[in-house]
Amino acid sequence: FFAQEVKNGSIKVDAKTTVNPVADSTQVAVTAAAISSKAKEDTKYLNAQLKSEKKALKEAKKIEKEQERFEKEKKDFNKKQSRILSGEKSVRNIKDKITKSQRNLITNKEKLDKKIAKDRLTSIEIEKENIKISKQQIKINKLEENFEKAEKKLSKLRD
């Protein structure tokens, strides 16, 4: 073997081991009671928070339902208004057709009377013109019936 040189030094051992022994059982009981009371407080807090969240959710649902109801009412109102406007437009159109037809009827009668006065028409031509006038009167009567129906429908829509 070879000769070795050995130095005698000090070896440092870092061994800090501390054990805290429990003093007595009353200290353990107090600590357990403190932990359980803290747990109870946390539970109460969480339950209160859960209740408030449920209440907020319920309130949000209520607001959402009211919003939906409002939107539906608004949609129905707009639909009703458009129906009323369309009804008024149809009444106006029918009224215009009636006045136009009545003017045409009056002018045709006047023309017929002038031609009869001048003796330019035969009896057959007079009858043909009378038939045309009768057809115009029938058309006016139908338009007046449609006008009354449209007015009734419009009054129902307004109610």
Side-chain angles (χ1 to χ4, degrees):
F1 290 98
F2 298 103
Q4 292 180 350
E5 214 176 288
V6 177
K7 288 185 181 180
N8 276 344
S10 63
I11 299 174
K12 292 183 180 179
V13 177
D14 190 14
K16 287 185 179 180
T17 311
T18 55
V19 177
N20 291 334
V22 177
D24 58 34
S25 62
T26 57
Q27 188 179 8
V28 172
V30 168
T31 317
I35 292 173
S36 68
S37 68
K38 180 68 174 164
K40 285 181 183 178
E41 289 175 11
D42 289 344
T43 306
K44 285 181 182 179
Y45 174 74
L46 291 175
N47 284 339
Q49 195 174 18
L50 182 64
K51 283 182 182 179
S52 66
E53 287 177 3
K54 282 184 180 179
K55 188 176 181 180
L57 182 63
K58 187 177 180 181
E59 202 57 38
K61 284 183 180 181
K62 183 179 177 183
I63 290 171
E64 185 178 341
K65 282 184 181 180
E66 287 178 7
Q67 184 71 22
E68 288 174 0
R69 184 179 52 81
F70 174 74
E71 290 295 326
K72 185 177 184 267
E73 287 176 358
K74 184 179 175 183
K75 182 181 174 185
D76 290 343
F77 177 77
N78 288 338
K79 194 174 183 180
K80 185 177 179 180
Q81 289 298 330
S82 68
R83 285 182 182 167
I84 288 173
L85 290 175
S86 126
E88 288 174 346
K89 183 179 177 182
S90 68
V91 166
R92 234 186 347 259
N93 288 341
I94 292 171
K95 203 172 196 178
D96 291 343
K97 285 181 183 180
I98 289 172
T99 55
K100 184 178 177 183
S101 296
Q102 286 175 340
R103 274 188 267 138
N104 287 339
L105 178 66
I106 291 170
T107 55
N108 287 341
K109 281 184 179 180
E110 288 173 354
K111 286 180 184 177
L112 178 63
D113 289 340
K114 286 181 183 177
K115 287 179 182 178
I116 290 174
K118 292 182 180 180
D119 251 0
R120 292 188 177 180
L121 297 175
T122 63
S123 63
I124 295 175
E125 290 173 337
I126 292 172
E127 287 303 316
K128 284 183 181 180
E129 291 296 320
N130 283 334
I131 291 172
K132 285 182 186 178
I133 290 172
S134 296
K135 285 183 180 180
Q136 283 181 329
Q137 286 175 334
I138 291 170
K139 181 180 175 184
I140 291 172
N141 289 340
K142 285 183 182 179
L143 286 172
E144 286 174 348
E145 288 175 9
N146 290 342
F147 177 73
E148 289 174 8
K149 288 179 186 177
E151 277 190 327
K152 286 180 184 178
K153 186 177 178 181
L154 181 61
S155 67
K156 285 182 182 178
L157 286 174
R158 287 182 176 157
D159 291 338

